[in-house]
Structures are given as C-alpha cells and as structure tokens.
C-alpha cells in the first residue's frame, strides 16, 4: 500500500540522498560542501519542549486519501489527522499540521521542523536507522476475489496484468491499485472500475464484467463464506503503519504509545477507522500482541546504528508574494485560460546548498486541470541558495478552462529528483467566462416554430425541444459549439436533452430560397446537491457502420450513488460502477440513445448520447474501437471567427484507451487531465489566429490529436456620417447611469456600489465603465437618431457586488439596440426603435 510500494519511500529517499551527497556530489553543477547542521535541541528533551509550548507539530503528506487529504473546504482531514488530533487531546496539547513532501518527512524530523510524522508510514529496518517509531496503529491486509469459476491465483502484482480490476472508490485499495498496477503499466487506466458499493462489484464478477475485486481481507472472507466469490490471493501488499519521531526522542515516543494504547482501548481508533476507512467497528483489526511487542522491542533496541552525518535538505515556506489565497478562504478570481505568475518566498533550513539541479515541480491538485499548464514541467533554482538563505521562486501558470475552485500543490526536489520540504500551494477560483453580449432578438421568420418546454432546470432534469419548419432544404439542431453539419434532423420533430451546464441550443434552417435562419434557446442549469456526472462519452457516435461497436466510458462524483446505463429501453448495466467503461454493439441500423443515470438520496443526474448506425461499406470490415490508442470522436471550437473579446465554445468527446487529455491554445495548456467528454468557454482578447488542439494519450504512450483554428478580428467601428458623428449636446460630459431597462418590463436603478458611465467624443467614440470592465465603441448621433456599434471591453471578472457581471452584459447588449436619444433637464435617455427606454443617464462634468 502507501508509497513504499510504488516510489522511493521517504526513509529510503533520505538514505539515497545521503549516499548521493557522499558519493556523487561532484556530479552537481555547483560543488558546494555541506554546511554544518543548525543547532538543534536534544531529541531527548522534545517532549518537554512540546509541553512548554503546548503544541505538537505533526508532519503529513496530504496526498493519500482516505488516510490524509484536503476536504472540500481545503482543510487537512483523514484518518491520520483525525487520529493525531485525538492523540493531542489525550496528551493535552494542540496539534499543528505541516504539509510536507512525503520523501522529505525524515529530513523534516531530523531538522526539527516537525515533532512527529503521521502519513501511513510502514516501519522497516532501513527506516529505523533514520527515525524512531511508535507501536503500529493500523494493520491492513489486501485480498483478491474472483468468481467461483475462475482459476486465477494472485501471488504478485504481475499476476493481475491486463485484467479488469474492481475496487471501492475512496478506499485505501483504490490508491494501491493506482500505484501498484496502473502507474507501473500492468493495467490500463480504463481497466480500473470504481464502485461505491462492493456488493455490486462482487456481483459483476459472476457477470464477467470484472476479473478481480481488490479489498480488505476481512471483508473478502465474508464474501467467500457466503459463497459469492473465491479468494484468489491475499497479503501481497500488507502494511503496518506507525508514527515516526526523531531518533532519540524516547520520551515523546513513550507518550505517543501511551496515547495510542488508550485510544485503542476506548474504541476511538476503531470508530475513526469506520468513519474514514469504511471498516465496520466490529471488523477493525486490533494490533496483534506479538506485533506490538516486536515493534516496542525494535523501538527500544540500539542495535541498529544511525547513518553517518551527511548533507540534509530542508525547506520552509516563508510567504506568498503574489496571489495569496489566504489559506483557501479567498482564492483570487481568474477567467478561464488567464495566464498569471505565482511566486513564493522560501527558506533553506537544511545543510545543503541548493544549486541549479534543484527544481520546483507540480505534485498534485484537487481536480483535473489543477496543474494549470505545468503538470509535466518544472522550474529550476537559479544560482545557489546557501543554508539559512531565502529564495524567491515564480512559476508561470494558466487558469484552467473550466469554472471551479482549484488548489495546486508544488514540491522542491533535489538534484536526483527526491522531493523534500514544505508543500507550496496555489489556490484560484476560475469564474465562468464573462457573459458574451447577446445578439438582439431575431426578427420572426414565417414557417419556423422552435420552443422548449422549460428554460430553467436543475442539472439532471430533461428539456424537450420541439420544432416545426416549413419550406426548408435542411434543418439542424445542436448544442452551441458542436459540429452543426453532423446534426441534421427532420423538419418537424422533437428531442429530449439533459444539459450539463447553462447551454445554448440552436436550430439552423436552410430555406428553399437559399436563405439561412438561426434560432437559439438558452437553458439555465442550476447545480443540485446530488451526484454529478463529470463525463460520459460514447465513441464513435456518428455514422457508426453496422456491425461495429461503440466504446462507452463515464465518471461520476458523489457518495452512495446508484448508476444505471441503458440503450433505449434495454438496460446494459443495472448497478454500474461510479467510474467505468463498456463496449456495446448496436443491434441494427438506426438511431440509438445511450442514457447514464446517477441517483442518490438527494437527487439525480442524467446524460445522453445519441448514436447513429448506418449501412456498412462493403469494402470496410467493421471493428470495435482500438484498445491501444485514444479515439477522438469530436473536437469542436465554435464559432471559428470572432471579434476581439469574443468567446468560443469548446467541446470534445474521446474514447478508447485514454490515460490523459490536454487542450492547448497554441503552446499553452489551458486544460490538463481533462475528462473524456466535456465543454468549456474561452474568450480571446487579442486579434490574430489561435490554434486550439486536443491531445489524447493512451496507456501505451500512443497519441491522437485534433486541431481547430479560430480567427479573431479587431472590432470595426461605425463609420462617421457625412454630417458628423456627434451631437455637441452629448460631448464634453461624463454621463452616469441612473436607470437601466431589465430586459423584461421595468427600468431599474443600477446595483449599489456599481457605476456605469458613458462619454461621447466628437470624433465618434463612445467609452466608459460598464460596471466592472471599461468599454469603447463607435457611435453616430444626430437629430435624435443614434446608432452604437458592438462594444469592445476589457476582460476581467468582478465578484462584487453580486450580479454586477449580469448587469454589465445587459447594458452592453442594450447599447447595440439603441435607435433614438433625447436630452432633457440634464438627463440623457436612450431608447430602441419601439420607443422603449433602455438607459437613463445624468450629466456630470
């Protein structure tokens, strides 16, 4: 389990670091002798110092759920932190956590940066040369179940190569499978199926949807006893976790052992295991007496000599120099795709001089995209940083394409790649792209009816669109951003959709006379408190040749979720995993609707994909999608031509063997670790040609890519009229908005703490503040008649006052519909062609 199986563990990493320092220092670009370690208090006095301060400083590598993780409020949580807090309460001291690189926990103990380390660490003789351990507080043993008819025997991880493996989502075994099977290439990522309910996973063994279920031994034995499965192996990755302290910190170790024993005896440890690890209290394994005795004897033994003194690395965070997220209580707001530079000040608290072989690198994040364009890149130290000195580091990042709150964690590495020191954090909030200025309501065209039964829903609810078109060559119905030419429909029909987020749907009509008409309906989607389908992909889904199969994949977020997958009225998977995949072969030519429904106690979410099966080309042998390379079914960027500050919709659908997906704008990664299907919006602030590219990489390293070019043109101002562009009564003043049409029926005062202004120049330029952004536009005005061109605005997002961005979008949209103006008693009124007042301003200086 834990890092000991899959990467150099922190104790071994320190051993290797010391040996490297002794044997290979000459290989470093800068050969600086190690400095003497700073003066540290006697380890034997650690407990007295903790009592004096009333505080126990605990190091944890917060990257291993459910043992340690950041909760939705970005606070440190998990079985280990909860146990540490219980220990602190037992000892009568406060517990303070420091998030550190796992490989550097031993250095942090040696340097006195922390008093103890609790991070799902297994004790080994090699590690005992570096630190002292308490008695174990948790013992786990993994087990492997197969169907009763299977003859598989699991003795090593290699015995699982190429199999479909089921595991409980959020359990310790999910991380074990990732580290021991996926990361080392024994199985592809798509071969891991995550279940919320292990009963469903065991049922799927008999249905041959999975080959092996990985779980705890006690739970496995219960399924075997009930005759539901066969035990194929156990104990391959058995672990015993203990708390580490500085070598020689005997008094502190003894206090921790006493607290652990009391918590175990009171049942507190078992209750925490049930809360965080999902192990029922009556199944929690007490530490075997012989294990505890052996651990105590090893801890008190002096037969294992410590390593000789050598160069020890250490790093502490000092300050956030830019974009301080204030402990994730106020992450800075960014717009999608916005570039920014994050910088920190850190201090070298170790005995090694950092040189240009040391580097900072992205370690992990809270969500796909948290790498912020730097997931596979690093930043090297410039020059040298002596022990005790501070160093300022900056990284160039890009806000992810999709809205949300992102936390990115970074670590410092030494010249041979071992991470050490305090974890550095980047926290931002990506807002939805600024609402694009809506076009005026189109003039009705005879012979086109287009409607939706509702325009405001909660995610997971259906919307039924109905249309009836007369005298048309072709009709297309599609979601904005999709390839419209691939979505032709009957002239009179209806379609049910399940929008994932607020989305515009378009009916495009090519009339018999060659004219084109477009109707758009926007569905406003509110997020409910139930489960969320993050991705649902069916590949391919257009012009599938008869006899071919489609690849279906999905990922769902939520707890206690029931998942069902159907094709029309046929149930393909009644109790599907929360994350999984399936191949299905549509039975005949025609149109098939695949539906994924996720339900829990509070709500539901639904997604649909329509597949069109056509007659197979006799010269083409139908075949299922390749399992060795990703299949890009769709990648669309729409529209492909906008003006400056225009926004494009990006959508994609990828299937097959997919390990990672990146979306790039030029050479800049605007979304990494993307889901297999999704959509987002990106607004472009400068004129030019932008190339958007999707790159999908499979588990074997094979890549598939697709590219779309978007042209961004500068805005075109209105040409001045022959009689002059402006009325002198308008110019030379700053007009302040006092009333704005709400777009429905009433004039309303602008939001408190917001100001909208307009300044008309005598050369035909209108400029001012739209409430958040500054804007400019061309205009003509004479004899009460006015025309205003679409505005160009700056590109920032304002979160306060609430609703200011919606107010700004309405104002900028209304400007393009202005037809008349009037100035009376120091007030300017703008109105549309029907006489409806749109905006009223008061004159200033």
């Amino acid at each position: 389990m834990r890092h000991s199986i899959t990467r150099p563990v922190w104790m071994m990493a320190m051993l290797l670091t010391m040996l490297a320092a002794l044997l290979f220092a000459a290989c470093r670009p800068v050969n600086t002798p190690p400095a003497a370690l700073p003066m540290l208090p006697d380890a034997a006095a650690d407990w007295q110092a903790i009592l004096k301060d009333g505080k126990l400083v605990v190091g944890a590598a917060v990257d291993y759920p459910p043992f340690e993780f950041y909760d939705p409020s970005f606070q440190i949580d998990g079985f280990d932190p909860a146990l540490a807090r219980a220990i602190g309460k037992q000892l009568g001291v406060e517990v303070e956590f420091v998030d550190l690189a796992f490989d550097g926990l031993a250095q942090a103990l040696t340097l006195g940066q922390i008093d103890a380390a609790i991070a799902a660490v297994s004790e080994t003789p090699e590690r005992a040369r570096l630190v002292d351990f308490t008695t174990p507080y948790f013992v786990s043993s993994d087990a492997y179940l197969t169907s009763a008819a299977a003859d598989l025997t699991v003795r090593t991880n290699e015995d699982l190569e190429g199999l479909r493996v089921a595991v409980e989502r959020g359990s310790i075994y999910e991380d074990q499978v990732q580290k021991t099977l996926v990361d080392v290439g024994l199985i592809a990522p798509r071969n891991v199926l995550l279940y919320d309910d292990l009963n469903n996973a065991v049922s799927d063994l008999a249905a041959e949807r999975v080959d092996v279920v990985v779980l705890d031994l006690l739970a496995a034995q219960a399924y075997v006893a009930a005759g539901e499965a066969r035990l194929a192996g156990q104990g391959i990755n058995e672990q015993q976790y203990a708390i580490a302290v500085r070598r020689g910190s005997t008094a502190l170790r003894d206090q921790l052992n006493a607290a652990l024993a009391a918590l175990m005896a009171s049942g507190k440890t078992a209750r925490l295991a049930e809360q965080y690890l999902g192990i029922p209290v009556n199944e929690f394994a007490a530490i075997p007496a012989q294990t505890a005795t052996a651990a105590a004897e090893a801890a008190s033994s002096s037969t294992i000599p410590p390593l000789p003194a050598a160069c020890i690395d250490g790093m502490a965070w000092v300050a956030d120099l830019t974009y301080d997220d204030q402990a994730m209580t106020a992450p800075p707001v960014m717009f999608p795709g916005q570039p920014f530079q994050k910088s920190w000040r850190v201090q070298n608290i170790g005995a090694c001089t950092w040189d240009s072989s040391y580097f900072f690198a992205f370690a992990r994040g809270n969500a796909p995209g948290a790498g912020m364009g730097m997931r596979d890149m690093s930043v090297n130290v410039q020059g040298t940083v002596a022990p005790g000195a501070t160093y300022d580091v900056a990284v160039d990042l890009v806000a992810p394409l999709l809205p949300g709150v992102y936390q990115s964690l970074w670590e410092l590495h030494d010249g041979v790649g071992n991470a050490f020191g305090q974890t550095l954090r980047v926290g931002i909030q990506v807002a939805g792209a600024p609402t694009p200025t809506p076009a005026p309501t189109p003039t009705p065209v005879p012979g086109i009816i287009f409607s939706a039964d509702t325009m405001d829903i909660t995610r997971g609810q259906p919307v039924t669109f109905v249309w009836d078109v007369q005298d048309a060559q072709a009709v297309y119905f599609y979601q904005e951003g999709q390839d419209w030419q691939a979505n032709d429909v009957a002239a009179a029909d209806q379609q049910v959709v399940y929008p994932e987020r607020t989305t515009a749907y378009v009916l495009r009509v090519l009339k018999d006379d060659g004219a084109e008409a477009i109707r758009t309906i926007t569905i406003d989607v509110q997020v409910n408190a139930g489960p969320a389908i993050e991705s649902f992909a069916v590949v391919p889904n257009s012009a599938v040749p008869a006899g071919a199969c489609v690849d279906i994949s999905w990922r769902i977020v939520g707890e206690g979720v029931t998942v069902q997958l159907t094709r029309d009225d046929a149930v393909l998977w009644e109790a599907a995993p929360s994350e999984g995949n399936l191949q299905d072969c549509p039975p005949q030519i025609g149109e098939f609707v695949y539906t994924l429904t996720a339900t829990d106690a509070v709500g539901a979410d639904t997604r649909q994909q329509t597949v069109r099966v056509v007659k197979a080309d006799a010269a083409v042998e139908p075949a299922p999608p390749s399992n060795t390379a990703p299949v890009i079914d769709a990648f669309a960027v729409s529209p492909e031509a906008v003006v400056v500050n225009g926004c494009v919709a990006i959508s994609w659908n990828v299937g097959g063997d997919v390990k990672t997906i990146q979306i790039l704008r030029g050479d800049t990664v605007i979304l990494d670790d993307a889901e297999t299907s999704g959509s987002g919006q990106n607004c472009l602030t400068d004129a030019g040609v932008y190339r958007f590219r999707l790159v999908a990489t499979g588990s074997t390293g094979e890549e598939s890519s697709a590219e779309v070019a978007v042209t961004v043109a500068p805005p075109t101002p209105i040409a001045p009229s022959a009689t002059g562009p402006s009325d002198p009564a308008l110019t030379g003043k700053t007009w302040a908005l006092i009333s704005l049409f709400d777009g429905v029926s009433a004039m309303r005062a602008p939001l408190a703490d917001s100001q909208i202004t307009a300044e008309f120049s005598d050369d035909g330029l209108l400029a001012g503040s739209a409430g958040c952004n500054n804007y400019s536009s061309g205009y003509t005005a004479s004899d009460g008649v006015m025309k205003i061109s679409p505005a160009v605005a700056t590109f920032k997002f304002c979160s306060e006052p609430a609703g200011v961005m919606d107010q700004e979008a309405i104002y900028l949209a209304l400007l393009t519909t202005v037809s008349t103006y009037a100035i009376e008693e120091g007030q300017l009124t703008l109105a549309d062609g029907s006489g409806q007042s749109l905006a009223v301003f008061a004159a200033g200086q």
Side-chain angles (χ1 to χ4, degrees), residues 705-721:
S705 64
E707 184 175 293
V708 177
V710 173
T711 301
V712 182
T716 304
I718 294 176
S721 66

Side-chain angles (χ1 to χ4, degrees), residues 590-614:
E591 192 170 272
F592 298 90
V593 178
Y594 289 83
T595 303
L596 183 73
T597 303
T599 308
D600 66 8
V602 254
D605 197 4
T606 304
R607 294 287 182 278
Q608 285 188 333
Q609 288 271 4
T610 299
V611 170
R612 294 183 178 184
V613 180
V614 299

Side-chain angles (χ1 to χ4, degrees), residues 61-63 99-100 362-366 370 407-411 423:
V62 191
D63 65 346
D99 188 0
L100 294 154
F362 169 72
R364 57 193 180 274
N366 70 314
Q407 184 187 59
S408 173
L409 302 173
W410 287 65
E411 294 174 346
T423 302

